Amino acid sequence: MKETKPRKLKKRIFKSWITSLISISLVLTMLGLLGIILVNGRQLSDYVREKIGFTLVLNDNVKPANIQKLQETLNKSKFVKSTRFIDKETASKELTEQLGEDFTGFLGYNPLFESIEVKLYANYTNADSLRLLEKKFLDYPQVKEVYYQKDLVQIINENIRKITFFVLIISALLTVIFIALINNTIRISVYSQRFTINTMQMVGATNSFIRKPFLKQSLLMGIYGSLIASILLFIGIYLYRNELHGLISSEVIYPTGIVFAGIFIIGLLFTYFSTYFAVNKFLGMKFDEMFY
């Protein structure tokens, strides 16, 4: 049995609505992903910077009590994130693993010194701060030498600045593209119902009466699209939580929550206003103009 024309029309409108909903959901998901990357960009930058640290080479015959006192002093410092004491045996074992052979057997003794590895907070990993800290560490009587990779520090800081600038530019461009995609999706959805708008005008319906069902539908589309996008992002974060450990911490849960709220607001506002302007365009059209 063939379907009646009203049923075919309803099915066509429903398919158009579903297609628009999927498109908007995917666009909002990408926009949300971009937002999460931006709010966690500082965390990622700090994560990389905090891998930078000093190696404090200690003098020979420093008493364990003095080493412990130095380590406690360092741990209490506002610029030190963590410290690790490395004795001669541990240093020898780690170097042997790196070289792939036991160098102490060749030399007949262990030439390495005891040392303390110091990891810094990200705010203190710029070149000027590192130079000041190097002098400060050398003032400790237990310390013989201070070592850190100056060239690597400079490269990391320069690359982070470049990447930050690049990400901001790309983010701005992608945001414009995503907004344009949402707008075009809504316009196409309204375009498919332009003859319905014209028919309602011909029977005497007011502009506000015609807009009402379209705006209501757009709000539902914005709500559902935002919820779907949020669910997809949440699932993605949950599935990759182990890989993201250290990048998304408790400190950035609040900004990440703002991103989810932003997705919801953007979903509502842009679907609503895009629908409003799209419907207005066809309200002012004559019947003959709708074929072009």
Side-chain angles (χ1 to χ4, degrees):
M1 184 177 178
K2 292 185 177 180
E3 290 182 320
T4 61
K5 287 186 178 180
R7 183 176 292 182
K8 285 184 179 179
L9 181 60
K10 286 182 180 179
K11 185 178 288 188
R12 190 179 301 168
I13 292 172
F14 179 74
K15 287 181 179 178
S16 174
W17 190 84
I18 289 296
T19 303
S20 299
L21 176 62
I22 293 172
S23 300
I24 289 171
S25 299
L26 293 176
V27 171
L28 289 174
T29 300
M30 295 302 297
L31 194 59
L33 181 61
L34 180 62
I36 290 173
I37 291 173
L38 288 176
V39 299
N40 291 284
R42 176 60 185 273
Q43 185 73 8
L44 177 59
S45 171
D46 290 351
Y47 180 79
V48 174
R49 290 174 186 270
E50 287 175 356
K51 294 298 180 181
I52 299 171
F54 285 92
T55 297
L56 309 186
V57 181
L58 304 178
N59 289 308
D60 266 336
N61 303 319
V62 177
K63 294 181 180 179
N66 290 333
I67 295 174
Q68 185 178 357
K69 183 179 179 181
L70 172 60
Q71 196 168 5
E72 289 175 354
T73 301
L74 292 171
N75 286 329
K76 292 177 181 177
S77 302
K78 61 180 181 179
F79 45 82
V80 174
K81 184 177 182 181
S82 64
T83 61
R84 174 178 171 241
F85 172 67
I86 303 174
D87 57 31
K88 288 187 175 184
E89 289 72 21
T90 302
S92 174
K93 183 179 178 180
E94 290 179 356
L95 186 57
T96 298
E97 290 176 354
Q98 293 174 11
L99 297 175
E101 59 179 336
D102 186 4
F103 66 95
T104 56
F106 174 76
L107 295 175
Y109 70 101
N110 184 357
L112 301 179
F113 293 89
E114 294 178 330
S115 63
I116 297 176
E117 282 189 356
V118 180
K119 298 297 182 184
L120 306 173
Y121 286 107
N123 293 336
Y124 297 93
T125 56
N126 59 71
D128 293 336
S129 296
L130 291 175
R131 282 194 291 268
L132 292 174
L133 289 175
E134 181 182 13
K135 294 179 181 178
K136 182 177 180 65
F137 291 146
L138 284 171
D139 289 338
Y140 292 114
Q142 301 95 325
V143 177
K144 179 179 181 180
E145 295 178 14
V146 175
Y147 171 78
Y148 72 99
Q149 295 177 303
K150 297 179 182 179
D151 293 337
L152 178 61
V153 170
Q154 185 177 357
I155 291 170
I156 288 175
N157 286 326
E158 286 180 359
N159 286 340
I160 286 175
R161 282 193 292 269
K162 290 177 182 177
I163 291 170
T164 301
F165 178 76
F166 179 76
V167 168
L168 288 175
I169 296 296
I170 295 299
S171 298
L173 292 174
L174 288 177
T175 300
V176 173
I177 292 171
F178 291 154
I179 291 171
L181 285 173
I182 292 175
N183 183 59
N184 288 335
T185 300
I186 295 295
R187 288 172 66 87
I188 291 171
S189 177
V190 174
Y191 177 81
S192 67
Q193 301 179 62
R194 64 193 184 283
F195 291 110
T196 303
I197 294 173
N198 184 261
T199 301
M200 294 173 72
Q201 280 185 306
M202 291 175 66
V203 298
T206 61
N207 289 348
S208 60
F209 181 84
I210 295 171
R211 286 194 206 97
K212 188 175 180 180
F214 287 97
L215 294 176
K216 182 179 179 181
Q217 187 182 62
S218 71
L219 288 175
L220 289 174
M221 195 180 295
I223 292 171
Y224 292 145
S226 301
L227 289 175
I228 292 171
S230 297
I231 290 170
L232 290 175
L233 287 171
F234 181 81
I235 291 173
I237 292 173
Y238 179 78
L239 291 177
Y240 290 94
R241 63 189 182 281
N242 293 329
E243 288 78 1
L244 296 172
H245 178 71
L247 301 182
I248 297 182
S249 65
S250 57
E251 296 177 0
V252 292
I253 288 177
Y254 178 71
T256 303
I258 292 177
V259 171
F260 283 94
I263 292 173
F264 186 78
I265 293 170
I266 289 172
L268 289 179
L269 290 179
F270 281 101
T271 53
Y272 181 88
F273 285 109
S274 294
T275 302
Y276 182 87
F277 292 118
V279 172
N280 276 357
K281 178 182 177 181
F282 293 109
L283 285 175
M285 277 189 176
K286 295 179 180 179
F287 181 76
D288 293 340
E289 296 174 338
M290 293 188 177
F291 290 94
Y292 302 98

